[in-house]
């Protein structure tokens, strides 16, 4: 009997390590069929029904439509109809409109490099028609009647409709059933379609939008003012809990609204960024906005915002993604820095200033001085006029603190700042005429309660010129936004009375923010002190890190870092910021180089410094169970009114809350 040994069996031979891998038969190189080419292109452009809605609405806006109607069946899977009242398409151009890379929006490379329309690729209709049944009916301005073109058969017939265009898409992915299996439920696809229309509606308040599903009206946004459109789309609550953002510098203009930190959400589902009217998802811009919220958000909460960026078309490339949802800036660091400081300035003013304005019944703030109609009515950047004018001085790109935020250039380390602050403002010794204290006798406290003293305004700490809310003369007592202190509860909360009702202040959190902002102002007014290392620290570096260190040596020096190439694959750190002497110098250098290559170079250093300052402020702030006199409470309230971002502590927790008389009456059922 012939018995095969394991060594001689075919399966063993195939699994031997030295056996050559099987070679697949060679296939000849051939051109793909046109239909397959279109289906491959459709895979990049059409992901789900919402992608079709986005492309068709883009075309309607480019056609100058003032009213756009979207009709859906089964969440857009069975049918999508987009109708507009735009210019329309001439009958002789309808067949050409369905061909790949056929468009009326660009003619040359120069026009491609300065795109000013929503669409420009000429792929949308061709891609959609390759994966669905589609027909286009359009009546050009001045034409006797409309014409309808069937994308599948190519038949062109007369039709009845007013001026404009209707695109009907049925049975999406009918020719590629495998892709249809990846679609979600009708409700989910409908939600994505609504979000797509919502993004367009936010950017174009001059256009009316209507969305129907299964014959029922689900959304309608009428053409009107920007303020009304924002309230309609995002709700009145967002308008009430957000601040206007405005900054303009050369070819860059930033405006919109930034939600208050206390209005942050658990999900990032209310964040809208537009570049020249186009909704985008850009990591650089998102990083800049998140940086502005860095020390006012609690935990991992997500801010709400709507931000519009207007920039010269030749300074941004919109042709980097098939769905046109990503862009690339010629000078990304400048955009990052401008966005960051624009949002920071919007969040700087405390809500106490708004309380004072409401109490005083202030008139409408003046509108920004720009060309008529160029700025939406709901932006009122008057409160940021000073910072805007200063920003026109073009701060240095990589400076940790822009030149318009400080006017001192002394060399000062964090330790010296702490010492200086301790000399001028110890733990809870305000620079005011405070003579009463927690150990004062009951008669003194009673007298103070009957006739509370008015502490003089605390002078700014050295280097605190950058604080925005500074009044030259003390306000009358009845105009104090946070009111006058009346009591302290359990050594934790301060109660105050103002024109609106009752103010409750978290004593430690509020003082922590005051101390923190003073320390930041002192540090911001100083250059970063550098400390040479006795023995340079070397580390293996990538080619990009070495190139970044060579190209931005001057910026690194301004940040207190001396990083130089030691070899083709090695960097040496010869000096580091004196304030960060206890940290990991290699990790610091890598972090700064990474941010310098992608974002603002100063951000890594600034974040590390602020973490140290926050710790110092926490230890220097008044502790719970500390009994304060009325004078000390009032001094704290006045400091809060003068301090930026005083509504949150360094960890993002609220520092004070307002209870109006109406809310207090409701608690006790008064008037019912």
């Amino acid at each position: 009997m012939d018995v095969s040994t394991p060594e001689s069996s075919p399966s063993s031979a195939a699994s031997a390590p030295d056996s050559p891998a099987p070679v697949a038969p060679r296939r000849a190189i051939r051109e793909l069929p046109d239909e397959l080419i279109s289906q491959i292109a459709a895979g990049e452009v059409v992901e789900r029904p919402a992608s079709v809605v986005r492309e068709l609405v883009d075309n309607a806006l480019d056609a100058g439509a003032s009213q756009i109607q979207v009709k859906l069946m089964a969440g857009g899977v069975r049918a999508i109809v987009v109708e507009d009242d735009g210019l329309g398409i001439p009958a002789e151009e309808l067949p050409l409109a369905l061909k790949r890379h056929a468009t009326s929006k660009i003619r040359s490379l120069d026009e491609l490099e300065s795109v000013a329309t929503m669409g420009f690729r000429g792929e949308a209709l061709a891609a959609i028609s390759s994966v669905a049944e589609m027909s286009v009916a359009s009546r050009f301005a001045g034409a006797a009647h409309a014409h309808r073109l069937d994308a599948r058969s190519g038949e062109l017939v007369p039709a009845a409709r007013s001026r404009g265009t209707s695109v009907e898409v049925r049975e999406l992915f009918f020719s590629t059933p495998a892709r249809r299996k990846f679609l979600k439920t009708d409700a989910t696809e409908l939600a994505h379609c609504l979000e797509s229309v919502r993004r367009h509606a936010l950017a174009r308040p001059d256009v009316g939008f209507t969305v129907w599903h299964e014959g029922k009206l689900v959304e309608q946004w009428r053409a009107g003012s920007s303020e009304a459109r924002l309230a309609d789309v995002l709700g009145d609550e967002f308008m009430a809990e957000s601040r206007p953002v405005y900054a303009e510098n050369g070819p860059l203009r930033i405006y919109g609204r930034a939600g208050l930190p206390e209005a942050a959400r658990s999900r990032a589902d209310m964040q809208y960024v537009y570049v020249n009217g186009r909704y985008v998802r850009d990591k650089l811009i998102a990083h800049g906005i998140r940086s502005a919220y860095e020390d006012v958000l609690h935990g991992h909460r997500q801010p709400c915002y709507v931000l519009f960026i207007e920039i010269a078309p030749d300074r941004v490339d919109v042709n980097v993604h098939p769905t046109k949802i990503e862009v690339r800036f010629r000078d990304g660091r400048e955009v990052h820095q401008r966005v960051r400081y624009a949002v920071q300035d919007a969040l700087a003013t405390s809500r106490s200033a708004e309380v004072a304005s409401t109490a005083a019944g202030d008139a409408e703030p003046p509108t920004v001085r720009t060309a008529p109609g160029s700025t939406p009515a709901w932006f009122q950047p008057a409160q940021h006029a000073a910072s805007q004018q200063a920003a026109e001085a073009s701060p240095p790109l990589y400076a940790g603190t822009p030149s318009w935020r400080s006017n001192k250039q002394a060399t000062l380390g964090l330790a010296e700042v702490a010492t200086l602050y301790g000399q001028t403002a110890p733990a809870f010794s305000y620079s005011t005429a405070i003579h009463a204290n927690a150990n004062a006798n009951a008669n003194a406290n009673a007298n103070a309660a009957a006739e509370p003293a008015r502490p003089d305004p605390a002078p700014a700490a050295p280097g605190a010129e950058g604080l925005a809310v500074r009044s030259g003369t003390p306000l009358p007592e009845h105009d104090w936004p946070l009111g006058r202190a009346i009591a302290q509860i359990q050594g934790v909360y301060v109660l105050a009375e103002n024109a609106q009702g009752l103010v409750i202040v978290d004593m430690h959190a509020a003082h922590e923010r005051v101390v923190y902002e003073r320390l930041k102002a002192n540090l911001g007014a100083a250059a970063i002190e550098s400390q040479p290392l006795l023995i340079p620290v070397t580390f293996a570096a990538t080619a990009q890190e070495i190139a970044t260190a060579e190209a931005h040596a001057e910026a690194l020096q301004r940040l207190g870092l001396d990083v130089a190439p030691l070899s083709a694959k090695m960097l040496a750190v010869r000096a580091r910021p004196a304030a960060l002497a206890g940290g990991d110098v290699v990790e610091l250098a890598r972090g700064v180089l990474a941010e310098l290559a992608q974002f603002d170079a100063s951000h890594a250093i600034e974040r590390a410094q602020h973490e140290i300052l926050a710790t110092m402020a926490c230890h220097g702030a008044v502790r719970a169970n500390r009994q304060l006199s009325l004078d000390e409470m009032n001094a704290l309230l006045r400091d809060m009114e003068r301090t930026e971002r005083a509504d949150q502590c360094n960890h993002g927790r609220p520092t004070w809350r307002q209870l109006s008389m109406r809310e207090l009456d409701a608690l006790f059922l008064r008037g019912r």
Side-chain angles (χ1 to χ4, degrees):
M1 177 184 250
D2 184 12
V3 180
S4 299
T5 62
E7 290 78 15
S8 62
S9 65
S11 59
S12 299
S15 61
D18 353 358
S19 299
V23 178
R26 183 184 179 278
R27 303 179 69 176
I29 300 174
R30 295 176 181 174
E31 286 189 77
L32 294 176
D34 285 343
E35 185 176 5
L36 182 56
I37 292 174
S38 298
Q39 289 175 344
I40 292 173
E44 298 177 340
V45 177
V46 182
E47 178 186 359
R48 61 195 330 153
S51 307
V52 176
V53 172
R54 181 191 66 241
E55 295 289 351
L56 298 183
V57 173
D58 280 351
N59 286 343
L61 292 173
D62 286 339
S66 61
Q67 185 68 38
I68 299 175
Q69 190 166 215
V70 180
K71 299 177 181 178
L72 306 169
M73 295 287 287
V77 179
R78 286 175 49 201
I80 300 171
V81 180
V82 176
E83 301 176 345
D84 67 69
D85 59 353
L87 295 175
I89 305 173
E92 62 274 13
E93 294 182 15
L94 271 176
L96 190 62
L98 269 61
K99 291 188 175 181
R100 285 184 292 116
H101 306 299
T103 180
S104 62
K105 298 168 187 177
I106 59 171
R107 287 287 185 273
S108 64
L109 179 61
D110 291 338
E111 291 184 352
L112 179 62
E113 291 177 348
S114 57
V115 173
T117 54
M118 299 296 292
F120 57 89
R121 290 171 173 265
E123 293 178 304
L125 294 181
I128 295 168
S129 65
S130 68
V131 293
E133 298 176 356
M134 188 176 76
S135 64
V136 181
S138 185
R139 181 176 179 178
F140 188 64
H145 57 80
H147 287 80
R148 180 183 302 276
L149 175 67
D150 185 275
R152 182 64 56 181
S153 65
E155 182 182 9
L156 183 66
V157 296
R161 68 148 293 152
S162 57
R163 193 194 74 171
T165 303
S166 300
V167 181
E168 184 176 352
V169 180
R170 293 191 176 276
E171 302 302 333
L172 188 62
F173 299 135
F174 83 98
S175 59
T176 53
R179 295 196 60 193
R180 193 162 184 167
K181 295 178 182 178
F182 287 92
L183 296 179
K184 305 300 181 182
T185 63
D186 292 352
T188 301
E189 297 301 337
L190 173 62
H192 284 288
C193 291
L194 288 173
E195 179 64 18
S196 179
V197 181
R198 185 179 292 111
R199 292 169 181 173
H200 285 94
L202 283 172
R204 295 297 300 271
D206 58 317
V207 178
F209 294 86
T210 307
V211 183
W212 298 78
H213 185 248
E214 305 284 358
K216 297 179 181 179
L217 180 66
V218 292
E219 286 288 1
Q220 183 175 24
W221 298 296
R222 301 181 186 277
S225 67
S226 301
E227 182 177 7
R229 175 59 58 83
L230 267 185
D232 287 345
V233 177
L234 299 180
D236 294 327
E237 186 178 354
F238 172 79
M239 297 295 293
E241 297 182 346
S242 61
R243 294 255 177 80
V245 178
Y246 189 86
E248 187 169 4
N249 188 277
L252 185 63
R253 184 166 173 253
I254 303 167
Y255 56 91
R257 294 192 75 90
L260 296 173
E262 53 262 35
R265 302 159 71 93
S266 58
R267 297 188 301 151
D269 58 347
M270 199 175 283
Q271 299 177 352
Y272 298 91
V273 175
Y274 297 83
V275 175
N276 292 344
R278 186 192 308 276
Y279 173 83
V280 299
R281 285 198 296 260
D282 186 83
K283 293 181 180 179
L284 183 140
I285 297 175
H287 184 274
I289 298 174
R290 184 72 192 189
S291 299
Y293 280 91
E294 207 159 54
D295 59 1
V296 293
L297 275 186
H298 184 58
H300 298 287
R301 305 282 289 174
Q302 296 292 332
C304 306
Y305 51 81
V306 179
L307 210 62
F308 298 87
I309 299 173
E310 292 182 3
I311 189 171
D314 59 349
R315 295 174 66 89
V316 58
D317 183 6
V318 299
N319 189 26
V320 297
H321 195 275
T323 61
K324 300 166 293 186
I325 205 167
E326 296 180 8
V327 294
R328 183 178 294 118
F329 297 99
R330 180 183 296 180
D331 191 345
R333 294 188 187 91
E334 180 188 15
V335 174
H336 176 273
Q337 188 182 44
R338 299 298 181 192
V339 166
R340 179 186 173 197
Y341 286 123
V343 177
Q344 271 187 347
D345 288 345
L347 300 174
T349 306
S350 171
R351 282 187 298 112
S352 61
E354 299 173 3
V355 171
S357 299
T358 303
D362 289 348
E364 286 292 323
T367 55
V368 66
R369 295 168 294 176
T370 54
S374 62
T375 303
W378 47 275
F379 302 123
Q380 303 293 348
Q383 63 266 46
H384 305 304
S387 60
Q388 178 191 340
Q389 293 171 1
E392 294 173 358
S394 296
L397 186 59
Y398 303 116
T401 302
S403 58
W404 49 268
R405 287 176 173 250
S406 62
N407 52 21
K408 289 188 177 182
Q409 295 300 326
T411 300
L412 199 63
L414 276 175
E416 295 169 290
V417 171
T419 305
L420 181 61
Y421 184 81
Q423 293 171 352
T424 57
F428 206 81
S429 299
Y430 293 91
S431 301
T432 55
I434 296 180
H435 302 293
N437 53 49
N439 298 321
N441 57 50
N443 291 335
N445 281 335
N447 292 337
E451 188 66 32
R454 298 184 188 177
D456 296 329
E465 293 84 356
L467 297 180
V469 188
R470 290 282 177 187
S471 55
T473 57
L475 291 172
E477 180 178 326
H478 60 272
D479 289 336
W480 286 344
L482 296 180
R484 63 182 182 90
I486 54 178
Q488 186 180 14
I489 299 179
Q490 299 288 331
V492 177
Y493 299 103
V494 171
L495 301 184
E497 176 187 14
N498 65 359
Q500 282 69 47
L502 179 67
V503 174
I504 306 175
V505 178
D506 184 327
M507 183 175 70
H508 172 75
H511 190 226
E512 187 177 4
R513 170 60 72 176
V514 171
V515 175
Y516 180 47
E517 291 297 331
R518 285 182 175 176
L519 289 173
K520 284 202 303 184
N522 285 333
L523 183 67
I528 297 177
E529 181 184 4
S530 180
Q531 180 187 57
L533 299 177
L534 185 62
I535 301 176
V537 178
T538 61
F539 63 95
T542 64
Q544 183 181 12
E545 288 174 332
I546 292 176
T548 303
E550 291 177 336
H552 302 289
E554 185 179 348
L556 291 168
Q557 291 284 353
R558 288 201 300 268
L559 296 172
L561 274 170
D562 183 1
V563 183
L566 195 63
S567 69
K569 296 183 179 181
M570 192 77 67
L571 283 175
V573 183
R574 297 188 174 93
R576 64 182 172 187
L580 304 177
D584 186 335
V585 66
V586 173
E587 182 181 353
L588 175 64
R590 285 189 184 277
V592 172
L593 289 173
E595 299 236 4
L596 180 56
Q598 191 172 8
F599 302 116
D600 180 9
S602 65
H603 191 63
I605 289 281
E606 189 174 301
R607 187 193 300 118
Q609 290 175 331
H610 286 180
E611 287 177 0
I612 295 174
L613 293 181
T615 302
M616 294 166 58
C618 186
H619 289 292
V622 61
R623 296 292 182 181
N625 301 318
R626 164 80 181 271
Q627 296 299 316
L628 305 180
S629 69
L630 286 173
D631 284 334
E632 288 176 318
M633 296 181 211
N634 279 310
L636 174 60
L637 297 177
R638 303 294 77 79
D639 272 353
M640 290 174 62
E641 293 165 356
R642 289 189 292 262
T643 301
E644 290 183 344
R645 292 170 281 275
D647 299 332
Q648 288 81 30
C649 74
N650 315 341
H651 314 293
R653 294 192 299 106
T655 58
W656 66 282
R657 285 286 186 257
Q658 173 81 57
L659 284 178
S660 66
M661 289 301 298
R662 179 177 298 180
E663 293 170 315
L664 291 172
D665 290 342
L667 289 175
F668 296 95
L669 305 180
R670 289 179 61 89
R672 295 190 182 181

